[in-house]
Amino acid sequence: MSATARARVHVDLPADELRAFVRDPHAALPVITGFGDFVHHRDAPAAGRQEWDVIYHVGALQLGGRVEIDTSRHDGIDWRSLRGTRHTFSLTVTEDQGQIEGEDDGESQGGSVLSLEMRLSLSGLLMARIAERTGAGIMRRHLEAAAEQLRHHAEWCR
Amino acid sequence: MSTPRTGKSALLRPPRADLSGRDPEFIRAMLPRLWLVANLWFRAEVRGFEKVPDEPVLFVGNHSGGAGTPDTFVFLLAYNTYMTVEGRPLFSLGHEMVTSLPLIGAFARKMGVVTADQDAAANVFARDASVLVYPGGDVEALRPWRDRHRIVFDGRKGFLKLAHRAGVKIVPVVATGGHDTLFVLNDGRSTARRLGFDRLLRIKSVPMTLSIPWGLLPGGLPQVPLPSKIRIQLLDPIDLRDRFGDEPDWDEAYEFVTSVMQSGLSTLAAKTVIPVLG
């Protein structure tokens, strides 16, 4: 079983500039401090891949483990867990075509949209389902925080 | 609570923005019982007072919880506890609806709440005191529950001009949990306009709310708050003159301050495990 959480935010920055920022884990990951701690482990043998140790501050526990980050995508990054909490994560930058509702009446604003998605997999049946549903809410709030931190840094702090 | 006003309501006769209404002895007497409520009912956490410079500042907060605004009183408690009752006073600029209410209005005024007014704020700074404002006012305090982790200042920039003119730093204050003390079901701005509440009472939002003891109610009356966990975080001070110069682009300054606060609020919200419970 798995639970998926998503967050997205409009960023007042051309998509190409934002992509250049978020596709560099050494630049982007230290910004999302509320999300977790990130430590570079090594560059993986495959081109465009890096191994990082991640620790998520989720509720009363720290979750995480070692992940392999794929930076070869042109519009963002993905990672998958190698050990520890089984999960995947993706961060994608697209042109803003007015897809964020509630901001500027959904009309095109220019700039870009930063989308984050995390999928968590737990073993078990009923208890795993309850834990996943609870975890999905926590994950969504963490993703929203990460998205806002990246947006603020990209717009004002570079 | 609201940003300094520029107009007056047609019906309300709010008390004059008299700074002498703040009663330090009353505040001192209230601190223990407020502390008990804050700790036992709201399990309050307030962090970041070490960031506040030893000079008058403009605290700028996000407003939550409808007419109850429990996080405001938690912040007033925390300020007067950590920064001392005898030390630099803190005055909170409030909506005239709050300062006009019987009992609650008198209590609020003794705690340092004054009717929002540009002159009142200038007088506070002239007395070497600090000011707490909620630019979003009733619009933010009654924003839909789904937007509880959004900064909603409704484009109001008066607080920026106030801080810039007075030469004081802005200390952003973000809070979560206050908006879990009742449930606001929709955005009530269009309803307020249609009913003329804006003109008559300076109330800009009349949403449907679900609260104790009122149940389903249009608008917000002071409610018995649900025991949600309240977290408050003070962020790094912002010096508008240092960052934006003597003649700021107010739109840019507004975007910057709200961006800082949105990032801080979302980060604080990520500490929530389960809404209401904390």
Side-chain angles (χ1 to χ4, degrees):
Chain A
M1 292 191 204
S2 66
T4 303
R6 299 181 181 87
R8 62 181 186 175
V9 64
H10 170 84
V11 183
D12 274 333
L13 207 65
D16 286 344
E17 279 187 53
L18 185 58
R19 285 182 190 125
F21 166 51
V22 301
R23 287 183 65 239
D24 178 2
H26 292 279
L29 295 185
V31 171
I32 49 180
T33 53
F35 190 63
D37 293 329
F38 303 89
V39 180
H40 179 252
H41 177 61
R42 65 168 187 161
D43 290 334
R49 294 174 189 262
Q50 303 173 15
E51 290 182 10
W52 287 66
D53 289 330
V54 301
I55 300 169
Y56 305 116
H57 307 300
V58 176
L61 302 176
Q62 289 184 319
L63 306 179
R66 183 157 296 165
V67 301
E68 183 182 69
I69 300 179
D70 180 0
T71 64
S72 62
R73 264 176 51 209
H74 85 284
D75 60 348
I77 60 174
D78 298 306
W79 74 61
R80 64 181 182 87
S81 57
L82 297 176
R83 67 186 192 198
T85 311
R86 282 186 290 169
H87 71 287
T88 61
F89 175 84
S90 72
L91 193 157
T92 305
V93 175
T94 55
E95 305 279 350
D96 189 350
Q97 306 292 335
Q99 57 266 60
I100 297 203
E101 294 178 9
E103 291 186 15
D104 203 22
D105 298 327
E107 295 176 3
S108 179
Q109 312 172 65
S112 46
V113 174
L114 178 62
S115 303
L116 288 72
E117 179 177 310
M118 179 178 277
R119 178 165 294 175
L120 175 71
S121 301
L122 298 177
S123 300
L125 295 173
L126 179 62
M127 298 309 289
R129 179 65 63 90
I130 294 171
E132 282 175 348
R133 287 190 62 85
T134 304
I138 298 170
M139 282 158 37
R140 181 175 48 76
R141 286 186 284 276
H142 277 74
L143 292 181
E144 287 171 354
E148 291 293 348
Q149 289 167 342
L150 288 168
R151 176 199 57 75
H152 179 71
H153 188 87
E155 290 180 347
W156 296 98
C157 302
R158 294 193 309 134
Chain B
M1 312 288 161
S2 73
T3 195
R5 63 179 177 168
T6 55
K8 292 182 179 177
S9 66
L11 293 181
L12 292 175
R13 293 287 179 270
R16 200 162 50 87
D18 183 2
L19 302 187
S20 65
R22 181 180 183 272
D23 185 345
E25 290 307 315
F26 177 80
I27 294 172
R28 195 192 314 280
M30 285 295 113
L31 288 182
R33 61 195 78 176
L34 287 175
W35 183 85
L36 280 175
V37 172
N39 276 277
L40 299 180
W41 193 254
F42 294 121
R43 289 96 65 210
E45 290 179 12
V46 186
R47 301 276 184 266
F49 270 112
E50 71 279 3
K51 300 173 189 288
V52 181
D54 187 14
E55 60 194 46
V57 298
L58 180 65
F59 293 102
V60 176
N62 66 300
H63 216 9
S64 299
T69 63
D71 41 5
T72 302
F73 285 97
V74 170
F75 183 78
L76 290 175
L77 162 71
Y79 181 91
N80 286 298
T81 302
Y82 298 143
M83 306 294 277
T84 82
V85 176
E86 298 89 351
R88 178 169 289 106
L90 174 67
F91 290 89
S92 175
L93 302 188
H95 193 287
E96 55 206 76
M97 180 63 85
V98 174
T99 54
S100 302
L101 285 172
L103 298 178
I104 291 176
F107 176 82
R109 291 196 298 276
K110 286 186 175 183
M111 290 296 294
V113 179
V114 296
T115 306
D117 181 291
Q118 290 277 1
D119 292 338
N123 289 339
V124 172
F125 290 133
R127 290 171 52 158
D128 203 36
S130 291
V131 174
L132 169 64
V133 293
Y134 293 99
D138 56 329
V139 170
E140 187 171 48
L142 288 167
R143 68 193 182 282
W145 188 77
R146 66 174 181 270
D147 292 335
R148 63 197 181 283
H149 298 146
R150 306 300 305 172
I151 299 290
V152 181
F153 282 0
D154 205 29
R156 300 172 186 178
K157 305 181 181 76
F159 73 99
L160 297 167
K161 297 171 183 175
L162 172 65
H164 190 266
R165 189 167 54 245
V168 300
K169 295 185 178 74
I170 287 174
V171 177
V173 181
V174 292
T176 61
H179 225 51
D180 288 332
T181 60
L182 83 168
F183 294 99
V184 182
L185 305 179
N186 67 315
D187 187 327
R189 280 178 280 191
S190 60
T191 306
R193 280 194 298 272
R194 280 200 297 271
L195 295 175
F197 274 33
D198 183 13
R199 181 175 52 82
L200 297 173
L201 297 167
R202 292 191 69 246
I203 292 176
K204 294 181 168 48
S205 181
V206 186
M208 292 301 296
T209 60
L210 187 62
S211 66
I212 300 172
W214 313 111
L216 201 59
L217 179 80
L221 292 174
Q223 77 276 11
V224 176
L226 295 174
S228 69
K229 182 174 179 63
I230 290 179
R231 291 184 175 89
I232 297 177
Q233 178 69 53
L234 286 77
L235 305 177
D236 291 329
I238 298 170
D239 188 333
L240 291 178
R241 286 186 182 274
D242 184 48
R243 185 169 186 102
F244 297 103
D246 291 336
E247 295 183 4
D249 178 333
W250 297 115
D251 291 337
E252 185 184 16
Y254 177 84
E255 293 296 331
F256 176 73
V257 173
T258 53
S259 176
V260 168
M261 293 187 67
Q262 184 58 65
S263 179
L265 178 59
S266 296
T267 302
L268 189 64
K271 293 183 178 179
T272 302
V273 177
I274 298 175
V276 179
L277 298 182

